[in-house]
Amino acid sequence: MSADLAAVAQRLLANHRFVAPDPSALHQVLLQCPERAYRDGEVLCKERSYGDEMWFLVAGRVKVVRRDIRNNEHLVAVVEAPDLIGPLALIDNTMRSATVVADGPVVTRVLDRGAYVQLSTAATTAGAVLRRLLLSSLHQQLSRTHGRIRTLGAPARPGSAPPPPAQAAPPPTVQILDEEEIDDLALVELTEEEAKEAFDILSTNG
Amino acid sequence: MNLHPTRLGLMPLFRGVPAADLTELCQHLVGRSLVRGEELYTEGAPARDAALVLTGRLSVRLGRGKDARVIAECWPGDLIGEAGLFDDGGVRNAGVLAVMESDVALLRREMFLDLPHNKGVVSIERHLLASMARRIRAANTKLEHAYKAPSTSPAAASSASDTLRKALLSILGTSA
């Protein structure tokens, strides 16, 4: 399985208006990252491990899996190329929050910590494209989570009209609740105080 | 309010940034002084920029008047309202108010596009990356606490509870 990296760069940037629209710099970054292929079922990263790499998923798709308190595995998302996998471990040096497994043959380009540090601190076009792609990606993740916590039943905001609907977001790469599931949520006991705290944290990006 | 590169250079955020880059950065920032009680951002209003706190203190709040709930405080060096940099047509999901006399520098998306090689902009972007990553982790932790393990009791194993678990898990798993 091969991937046209120029096309991958173009598609990666298509959903990120914060990044300059010229994908050539990102193409150059991808070219400099070593290619790594995974067979079906191979693990890219494990939950609760420390990571020194992130991946540009350039072909194929991966499953994102988490374990609950009883150690049962749950599929929480299926991510299709092109996308970014596992950048948080490089940004804040914390443990992986999920396991990522190849779902069929997968081709990635791997950015290791050394290359990340070099690029993310560089006042170059390539550095700017990487930082802004990551920023935009984190922002989308925050927005999605914010919107979904709101849907989960965070308390109504006092003294204000209902917020306007969120603007159109790029196609999500995680599963979204359907209407019936959202209705069901009102029937269960949600730990409201904690959902409220999470909502507050996510609201501080203004 | 005029911004001066020397003033920016005193902030830890811009430590090591060459004076020429700070001078260039100042030309793209808009300074704003706020008196105590003045609103910087209004909840629900269009979001077109972000703000770097230079002096003073601001509070981030949901709701208005006596029902307002303060959810965070911002100090010099903090960046507020970055959603305004990323979205076209987005709105503020919280209000921001000066709780004492404060100075801020407003950042617009165009500045980032115009100054890809400016080391002050690099510092701002790295600062943003770290603060957004922290926020995702913090929210995940809160949600993780809200998540309840499947119970063995038939009542708790209702389909509705399962749906909630699925929902929380799907949120928690997005930041590997």
Side-chain angles (χ1 to χ4, degrees):
Chain A
M1 182 168 30
S2 64
D4 175 355
L5 289 184
V8 167
Q10 195 150 19
R11 287 174 59 203
L12 261 174
L13 295 184
N15 286 331
H16 299 280
R17 296 182 62 99
F18 184 60
V19 190
D22 177 8
S24 59
L26 181 58
H27 184 203
Q28 289 306 312
V29 172
L30 291 175
L31 285 171
Q32 287 166 24
C33 295
E35 181 177 293
R36 190 183 299 162
Y38 294 86
R39 292 187 299 272
D40 182 31
E42 266 194 284
V43 173
L44 283 74
C45 63
K46 288 202 81 151
E47 184 178 352
R48 301 199 181 281
S49 66
Y50 285 96
D52 280 321
E53 295 174 332
M54 62 166 277
W55 296 263
F56 294 98
L57 180 61
V58 298
R61 66 182 189 185
V62 295
K63 292 188 286 194
V64 181
V65 175
R66 275 182 75 103
R67 286 184 180 277
D68 66 23
I69 296 166
R70 289 170 185 262
N71 218 27
N72 297 316
E73 249 183 22
H74 298 263
L75 173 67
V76 295
V78 175
V79 180
E80 307 244 5
D83 212 328
L84 306 176
I85 305 289
L88 277 189
L90 290 187
I91 294 169
D92 65 3
N93 299 314
T94 49
M95 288 189 294
R96 306 280 186 195
S97 59
T99 296
V100 180
V101 186
D103 186 22
V106 159
V107 179
T108 66
R109 292 278 170 158
V110 184
L111 187 69
D112 65 24
R113 185 174 296 281
Y116 168 77
V117 170
Q118 189 181 25
L119 268 175
S120 69
T121 55
T124 61
T125 305
V129 165
L130 177 68
R131 284 188 300 275
R132 292 167 193 185
L133 182 61
L134 291 172
L135 280 169
S136 187
S137 173
L138 294 189
H139 168 68
Q140 288 180 354
Q141 189 174 325
L142 279 166
S143 296
R144 273 201 301 269
T145 309
H146 190 273
R148 296 172 74 193
I149 290 176
R150 188 180 288 178
T151 310
L152 277 174
R157 302 197 283 177
S160 65
Q167 62 174 358
T173 52
V174 296
Q175 63 197 50
I176 300 293
L177 298 178
D178 61 32
E179 289 300 321
E180 194 175 340
E181 286 176 315
I182 290 169
D183 288 344
D184 283 343
L185 293 175
L187 303 175
V188 300
E189 184 190 350
L190 179 64
T191 317
E192 197 169 280
E193 195 57 37
E194 286 160 327
K196 191 168 80 174
E197 282 183 51
F199 183 83
D200 288 353
I201 291 166
L202 293 164
S203 293
T204 55
N205 66 334
Chain B
M1 182 194 74
N2 286 327
L3 287 169
H4 196 276
T6 310
R7 187 176 188 190
L8 292 188
L10 293 174
M11 300 180 73
L13 172 62
F14 296 115
R15 189 171 293 143
V17 175
D21 284 27
L22 291 178
T23 302
E24 184 182 45
L25 184 60
C26 281
Q27 291 162 2
H28 288 74
L29 295 171
V30 177
R32 183 170 166 194
S33 294
L34 301 156
V35 298
R36 183 168 181 267
E38 188 174 352
E39 206 167 39
L40 174 64
Y41 294 138
T42 305
E43 186 177 345
R48 299 194 184 94
D49 56 27
L52 171 65
V53 182
L54 302 175
T55 61
R57 182 160 57 95
L58 298 99
S59 67
V60 183
R61 48 186 70 203
L62 293 173
R64 297 183 75 85
K66 65 178 173 56
D67 292 327
R69 188 156 53 87
V70 174
I71 60 171
E73 289 203 322
C74 300
W75 299 81
D78 286 342
L79 279 157
I80 324 169
E82 76 272 5
L85 299 172
F86 300 103
D87 295 332
D88 287 328
V91 296
R92 300 287 177 201
N93 53 35
V96 178
L97 192 80
V99 294
M100 58 188 290
E101 281 189 9
S102 305
D103 289 341
V104 299
L106 301 178
L107 296 72
R108 293 180 185 272
R109 186 196 304 169
E110 294 72 26
M111 179 195 83
F112 292 87
L113 300 179
D114 290 345
L115 304 176
H117 302 149
N118 184 291
K119 291 186 176 167
V121 173
V122 174
S123 295
I124 292 170
E125 289 172 343
R126 286 174 53 78
H127 187 53
L128 264 177
L129 271 174
S131 72
M132 291 168 77
R134 258 198 314 274
R135 208 173 304 145
I136 289 173
R137 295 286 191 195
N140 275 357
T141 302
K142 292 291 179 195
L143 287 168
E144 206 154 357
H145 290 157
Y147 172 77
K148 294 192 187 341
S151 165
T152 51
S153 76
S158 68
S159 62
S161 292
D162 286 344
T163 304
L164 172 61
R165 282 190 207 100
K166 274 196 301 186
L168 288 175
L169 273 168
S170 70
I171 291 171
L172 293 169
T174 58
S175 58

